[in-house]
Amino acid sequence: MSRKIPRAALAALLTLAAGAPLTACSDDGARPAYQADYADHPPLRVTGHPSTGSLETVQRAVWALADRDADALAALDTEGGDAGSEARAWVGTYGKAADGEVTADFLDEGSVRQEVVLHFGGPRRTQELTVRIGDDGTWGVVLDAPDPKPAER
């Protein structure tokens, strides 16, 4: 007797079979850093219309805050020079708050520059920041000294 395999099941099997060689080719099976960071942190709530670059940059900044990683935050700075003191101030001000619920309001359009307001749920404070494409052609943060404001909720 011949048994027919449903089309949906056949499609799923073909998809798995096609992906198996790609998985086997990875050198150590590790997820790319961005995917690992994404999985290891609470989701960032987003409003507005971020570009791919502005969204990824803000996510990385919030993750660096949550991880209390001033070096990673300073590495996102677009202004050149030593951003270490500003990054340490941001981590001191928002590190603990970034562990909780964070909402990013992306203002205006974000093709090369975008203003973003971060809302930290725990301490109920907000912080404005600018993300933009830097001189090296990659997205980063204009890392000024933090200026926390009470949330307007």
Side-chain angles (χ1 to χ4, degrees):
M1 266 198 300
S2 169
R3 291 178 33 179
K4 286 188 130 186
I5 298 174
R7 285 185 187 212
L10 184 60
L13 286 171
L14 290 173
T15 301
L16 286 172
L22 296 175
T23 303
C25 292
S26 68
D27 54 346
D28 62 0
R31 297 177 293 177
Y34 183 81
Q35 289 177 340
D37 282 341
Y38 189 89
D40 292 342
H41 294 90
L44 177 67
R45 295 175 184 262
V46 175
T47 65
H49 302 285
S51 68
T52 302
S54 65
L55 175 59
E56 181 178 339
T57 300
V58 170
Q59 283 182 313
R60 289 185 186 277
V62 171
W63 296 338
L65 290 170
D67 294 342
R68 289 21 167 230
D69 189 346
D71 292 336
L73 185 59
L76 292 172
D77 182 58
T78 60
E79 302 309 291
D82 181 14
S85 62
E86 287 89 356
R88 285 188 296 279
W90 275 73
V91 167
T93 303
Y94 295 113
K96 184 175 180 185
D99 280 336
E101 184 178 304
V102 180
T103 301
D105 293 334
F106 289 81
L107 311 176
D108 305 320
E109 75 81 36
S111 57
V112 295
R113 178 185 190 93
Q114 196 160 30
E115 298 299 318
V116 180
V117 179
L118 296 176
H119 300 273
F120 295 91
R124 299 186 50 81
R125 290 185 288 185
T126 64
Q127 173 68 51
E128 294 181 33
L129 71 142
T130 301
V131 292
R132 69 180 188 92
I133 296 176
D135 294 336
D136 63 356
T138 63
W139 279 88
V141 177
V142 177
L143 202 56
D144 296 328
D147 182 22
K149 296 173 181 57
E152 298 176 6
R153 295 186 200 184

